[in-house]
C-alpha cells in the first residue's frame, strides 16, 4: 500500500500550480450524458475520482478518449446501452449519484446503486429523489439500487430543504431537458454549480440564476455538444495557501481563481499570514511571524468550505491561542483530529466543535489517512513536524489531488512516495 514519507521543517518557497476542479469535472462529465454529440472538457484533473467517473460512463456505453492534451477529455454518449450505475463502481465514489438526473432526462430510465455509508457521515440523497419525483419520475428502491422511470420529465417548483451541491447539480441536469420551466430554490451557490451551468448553457440549455440560490430553467428538446474549460480547483488552491502559511514560506499559488477563495484568504489574513492577490489567477502567501488563533465555522459557499476545515485545523495547531472550529455541514468530519493529536496537537472535540490550543510542537509520527481532506491535513501537519512522518493509505489523496507530492517537492517540501505514483495509465485497463 502506498505511503508518504515526509520530513518536516522546510518553508515552502516558489510557485505551485493548481489543477482543474475535481468537483466541477465530475458533474460536467455527467452532463455529457445529456447529448449524443461529443463534449470536450479541458483542464480535467488526473485524479482517481475522475478515473472512476470515466469507468462509470464507459460501463454505460459511453466512449471516452483523451484529447489534444493529457487534461482534455472527450466524451461521447451517443450510445447509452446500459443506463446503470453499478455498485462496484459507485461504492468508491459517492458523486456517482450525479448520473441519476441526466440519465433519467436523456433515456427515461436509470438504475443507480445507492451510495454506501461514507467516512464523513451518512450523506443521503433523499433530496435528489424527492425532487425527481416532483418532476414526474417514479422511483423505487430494491436490492441496493434505485430505479427511476419516466416517459418525459416535466418542469416543477423545487425547494431544497437543505442546501446540497450535487443535489442542485443533479436536478439542474434533469431540468434542462424537461418539458416546461423548472424553478429551483435554496440552491447551492458553489462555483462548481456555476461551472456546470456554463457548460450546459454552451450545450444549448436555458438557465438563469446559477450561482444564486434561485435557478430558473426553461427546458429544451435537445442539447448539442460543446467544448468547455473547467475552473481551477479552489480546495487544492486553499490547501496550498495553508501549506505556504503553515511552513512560514513564501508561496505563489498560480492558475487559481482568487475570486473563489474569499473565505479562505480572509481567514488566513485574520491569523496574520500575509496574502496578496497578485492577479485574478495568482495569490501569494507569506508567513514570517507567529500566526494568531482564529475561529472558523464551515458554511455553504461563499462561507468557509467544509472541504478546507481539516487543512485549517492543521494550521490552527501552529497558531497562538485558542481556535474554535465548528463543522456545520457534515457530521463525523473530525477523523483527522486523533491523528493530529498523535503528532502532538492539543485538540478537544465536543460534538461538531473542535477546540484547538496552539501553538503545539508537532513531532513526526506514523499516521493513517482516513478521507481525502483529512489526508491533506496530515500532509500539512507533517510538513512542520519535527522528524520524518509516515502517512499510510495515501490513496485517499489520489482521489482529489493531482501529483501533489511532485508539486510540493517543486517548492521545497521533503516528501517521497513509497509505491506507485497514481497516473490514469495505471488505471486504463481496469475491467469495468
Ligand atoms: C459536495 C462536494 C463535497 C463537499 C460538499 C459540501 C462534490 C462531488 N462533492 O458534496 O466535496 O464537501 O459538497 O460542500 O461536489 N444532504 C441531505 N440530503 C441530500 C443531499 C445532501 O440531507 O439529498 C445533506 C448532506 O448529508 C450534508 C449536506 O446536505 O449534510 C450537504 O451535502 P451536499 O452539499 O449534498 O454534499 P455533496 O454534494 O455530496
Amino acid at each position: 500500500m502506498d505511503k508518504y514519507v515526509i520530513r518536516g521543517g522546510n518553508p515552502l518557497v516558489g510557485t505551485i500550480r493548481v489543477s482543474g476542479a475535481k468537483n466541477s469535472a465530475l458533474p460536467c462529465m455527467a452532463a455529457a450524458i445529456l447529448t449524443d454529440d461529443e463534449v470536450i472538457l479541458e483542464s480535467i484533473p488526473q485524479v482517481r475520482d475522475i478515473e472512476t467517473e470515466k469507468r462509470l460512463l464507459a460501463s454505460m456505453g459511453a466512449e471516452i478518449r483523451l484529447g489534444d492534451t493529457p487534461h482534455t477529455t472527450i466524451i461521447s454518449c451517443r450510445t447509452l446501452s446500459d443506463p446503470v450505475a453499478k455498485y462496484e463502481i459507485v461504492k468508491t465514489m459517492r458523486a456517482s449519484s450525479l448520473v441519476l438526473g441526466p440519465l433519467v432526462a436523456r433515456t427515461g430510465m436509470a438504475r443507480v446503486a445507492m451510495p454506501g455509508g461514507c467516512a464523513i457521515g451518512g450523506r443521503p440523497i433523499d433530496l435528489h429523489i424527492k425532487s425527481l419525483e416532483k418532476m414526474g419520475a417514479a422511483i423505487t428502491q430494491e436490492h441496493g439500487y434505485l430505479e427511476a422511470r419516466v416517459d418525459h420529465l416535466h418542469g416543477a417548483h423545487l425547494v431544497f430543504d437543505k442546501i446540497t451541491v450535487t443535489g442542485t447539480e443533479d436536478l439542474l441536469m434533469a431540468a434542462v431537458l424537461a418539458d416546461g420551466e423548472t424553478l429551483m430554490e435554496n440552491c447551492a451557490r458553489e462555483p462548481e454549480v456555476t461551472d456546470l451551468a456554463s457548460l450546459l448553457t454552451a450545450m444549448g440549455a436555458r438557465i438563469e440564476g446559477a450561482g444564486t440560490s434561485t435557478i430558473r430553467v426553461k427546458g429544451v428538446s435537445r442539447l448539442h455538444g460543446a467544448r468547455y474549460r473547467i475552473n481551477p480547483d479552489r480546495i487544492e488552491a486553499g490547501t496550498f495557501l495553508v501549506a505556504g502559511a503553515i511552513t512560514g514560506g513564501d508561496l505563489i499559488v498560480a492558475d487559481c481563481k482568487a475570486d473563489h477563495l474569499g473565505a479562505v484568504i480572509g481567514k488566513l489574513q485574520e491569523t496574520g499570514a500575509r496574502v496578496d492577490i497578485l492577479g485574478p489567477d495568482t495569490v501569494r502567501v507569506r508567513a514570517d511571524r507567529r500566526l494568531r488563533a482564529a475561529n472558523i465555522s464551515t458554511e455553504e459557499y461563499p462561507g468557509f468550505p467544509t472541504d478546507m476545515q481539516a487543512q485549517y485545523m492543521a494550521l490552527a495547531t501552529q497558531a497562538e491561542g485558542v481556535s474554535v472550529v465548528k463543522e456545520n455541514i457534515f457530521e463525523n468530519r473530525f477523523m483527522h483530529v486523533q491523528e493530529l493529536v498523535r503528532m502532538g496537537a492539543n485538540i478537544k472535540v465536543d460534538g461538531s466543535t473542535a477546540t484547538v490550543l496552539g501553538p503545539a510542537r508537532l513531532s513526526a509520527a506514523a499516521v493513517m489517512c482516513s478521507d481525502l481532506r483529512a489526508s491533506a491535513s496530515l500532509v500539512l501537519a507533517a510538513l512542520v513536524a519535527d522528524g520524518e512522518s509516515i502517512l499510510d493509505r495515501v490513496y485517499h489523496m489520489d482521489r482529489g489531488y493531482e501529483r501533489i507530492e511532485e508539486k510540493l517537492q517543486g517548492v521545497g517540501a521533503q516528501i517521497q512516495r513509497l509505491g506507485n505514483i497514481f497516473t490514469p495509465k495505471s488505471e486504463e485497463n481496469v475491467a469495468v
Side-chain angles (χ1 to χ4, degrees):
M1 200 176 284
D2 292 4
K3 294 179 177 34
Y4 284 149
V5 179
I6 301 176
R7 177 166 285 280
N10 285 13
L12 301 191
V13 178
T15 298
I16 194 161
R17 296 189 182 281
V18 177
S19 299
K22 165 182 86 76
N23 286 355
S24 285
L26 292 172
C28 287
M29 290 169 73
I33 292 174
L34 294 163
T35 174
D36 40 351
D37 294 345
E38 277 185 356
V39 172
I40 304 171
L41 297 171
E42 295 173 11
S43 200
I44 296 289
Q46 295 187 333
V47 296
R48 198 178 293 274
D49 274 6
I50 296 297
E51 293 311 305
T52 306
E53 177 133 344
K54 285 184 186 170
R55 286 203 299 153
L56 182 62
L57 293 173
S59 74
M60 296 173 184
E63 271 177 43
I64 297 155
R65 56 183 210 278
L66 276 187
D68 41 9
T69 76
H71 293 97
T72 302
T73 298
I74 304 173
I75 307 173
S76 165
C77 292
R78 180 177 297 276
T79 318
L80 283 177
S81 44
D82 193 14
V84 179
K86 296 184 182 70
Y87 180 67
E88 293 65 42
I89 305 176
V90 169
K91 70 178 179 195
T92 63
M93 188 184 64
R94 212 195 88 91
S96 315
S97 50
L98 276 171
V99 299
L100 181 61
L103 275 181
V104 189
R106 165 88 183 274
T107 69
M109 134 91 191
R111 276 192 85 220
V112 175
M114 301 282 286
C118 168
I120 60 168
R123 304 188 83 169
I125 58 163
D126 56 311
L127 302 174
H128 302 231
I129 297 171
K130 209 166 112 181
S131 305
L132 281 171
E133 283 176 339
K134 264 195 133 177
M135 297 179 76
I139 301 189
T140 52
Q141 289 179 36
E142 232 177 27
H143 309 303
Y145 277 79
L146 201 145
E147 188 165 308
R149 282 180 188 275
V150 69
D151 279 342
H152 203 78
L153 291 173
H154 56 72
H157 182 186
L158 309 176
V159 184
F160 292 105
D161 294 341
K162 199 169 178 182
I163 298 176
T164 158
V165 178
T166 48
T168 302
E169 293 163 348
D170 202 18
L171 271 297
L172 185 57
M173 289 188 275
V176 288
L177 284 183
D179 282 333
E181 184 169 303
T182 300
L183 176 63
M184 297 164 61
E185 293 191 83
N186 203 25
C187 295
R189 294 180 286 161
E190 267 67 1
E192 294 76 29
V193 174
T194 317
D195 233 359
L196 170 66
S198 303
L199 166 65
L200 292 170
T201 304
M203 292 166 70
R206 294 173 67 194
I207 302 168
E208 270 173 33
T212 74
S213 54
T214 304
I215 302 180
R216 206 178 279 273
V217 183
K218 287 204 172 76
V220 297
S221 56
R222 125 165 238 288
L223 293 180
H224 50 75
R227 184 174 188 113
Y228 184 73
R229 183 180 188 83
I230 62 162
N231 270 312
D233 196 307
R234 64 194 168 96
I235 305 302
E236 187 192 13
T239 304
F240 292 155
L241 288 175
V242 172
I246 198 171
T247 60
D250 182 353
L251 203 56
I252 292 180
V253 179
D255 299 344
C256 63
K257 200 153 186 181
D259 278 2
H260 293 167
L261 294 166
V264 172
I265 290 177
K267 198 48 73 177
L268 286 174
Q269 287 171 332
E270 205 179 315
T271 65
R274 284 202 275 161
V275 186
D276 298 303
I277 297 174
L278 303 182
D281 58 3
T282 313
V283 181
R284 178 180 189 184
V285 61
R286 280 171 289 175
D288 42 19
R289 58 196 141 175
R290 167 68 63 201
L291 300 176
R292 294 185 297 270
N295 302 338
I296 61 160
S297 183
T298 62
E299 283 165 26
E300 293 88 4
Y301 189 83
F304 193 93
T306 174
D307 284 353
M308 281 298 300
Q309 179 257 104
Q311 300 89 315
Y312 182 80
M313 201 181 295
L315 183 80
T317 68
Q318 299 308 294
E320 179 99 43
V322 175
S323 305
V324 178
V325 174
K326 178 102 177 68
E327 172 56 53
N328 295 307
I329 308 294
F330 292 113
E331 59 200 70
N332 198 17
R333 202 174 196 179
F334 282 145
M335 275 166 313
H336 41 287
V337 170
Q338 62 193 46
E339 298 301 279
L340 290 174
V341 168
R342 292 186 57 244
M343 295 175 78
N346 186 343
I347 307 173
K348 298 267 176 301
V349 173
D350 180 12
S352 59
T353 302
T355 307
V356 187
L357 176 62
R361 197 183 140 269
L362 297 184
S363 64
V367 289
M368 192 79 87
C369 300
S370 54
D371 69 47
L372 173 56
R373 307 305 170 186
S375 319
S377 160
L378 297 179
V379 168
L380 293 167
L383 288 175
V384 288
D386 185 17
E388 196 170 86
S389 297
I390 298 181
L391 274 63
D392 206 345
R393 301 198 180 163
V394 298
Y395 56 82
H396 287 292
M397 279 304 265
D398 295 333
R399 283 191 41 221
Y401 289 92
E402 179 173 333
R403 293 176 173 270
I404 191 166
E405 60 273 25
E406 288 179 8
K407 291 189 185 187
L408 290 174
Q409 281 161 4
V411 289
Q414 295 190 65
I415 172 170
Q416 303 295 335
R417 189 177 184 119
L418 301 182
N420 297 326
I421 289 183
F422 171 75
T423 59
K425 278 201 183 68
S426 61
E427 296 279 289
E428 226 161 49
N429 298 323
V430 176
V432 182

